Amino acid sequence: MTSGSMTTGPEAGRPADRRRHPRHPGDRYPLSVGRHAARLVDWSAGSVGIQLRDEAEGIKVGDGVTVSIMSEHTHGVAFFPGHVRRIDAENRILGIEFTEADGDAAAFLAALLEASGSQP
């Protein structure tokens, strides 16, 4: 028998949250991943959760992708490179980590959601 601490209560049985940045709701903001139409599920300073409209055919963990975010506020499209870190095939959700860790994507998303009246 080994000794150690035991987790009880609501945390028992749940894996620890290993995210480096807090997550924010995406308010279902439309965007695309490559040529796949999608919606923003949630985001943080370093990554996004994205739900594809169709199946994620051919997309694998580790693949490089470009997240395109259209802005009615700026009347343009911003492109952010990233890598697929997680795939939930059943729900068509991708976890994408941004390649550039300078916060440009997070700042852009925060400005979009603020302009739309959503809470980041």
Side-chain angles (χ1 to χ4, degrees), residues 19 21 23 42-49 86 95-98 109:
R19 294 183 176 132
H21 305 285
R23 304 298 285 181
D42 61 9
W43 61 279
S44 75
S47 62
V48 289
R86 292 175 307 286
I96 299 174
E97 183 176 47
F98 295 121
L109 288 168

Side-chain angles (χ1 to χ4, degrees), residues 25-86:
D27 198 34
R28 301 176 186 241
Y29 204 87
L31 47 82
S32 64
V33 176
R35 296 179 180 240
H36 297 276
R39 72 174 185 89
L40 184 62
V41 175
D42 61 9
W43 61 279
S44 75
S47 62
V48 289
I50 294 175
Q51 184 177 42
L52 302 176
R53 287 193 190 162
D54 300 314
E55 297 298 317
E57 294 178 27
I59 299 176
K60 300 178 293 301
V61 171
D63 283 354
V65 295
T66 300
V67 177
S68 307
I69 306 170
M70 186 172 170
S71 168
E72 295 173 0
H73 183 67
T74 63
H75 304 289
V77 178
F79 300 95
F80 299 102
H83 288 87
V84 177
R85 293 295 176 223
R86 292 175 307 286

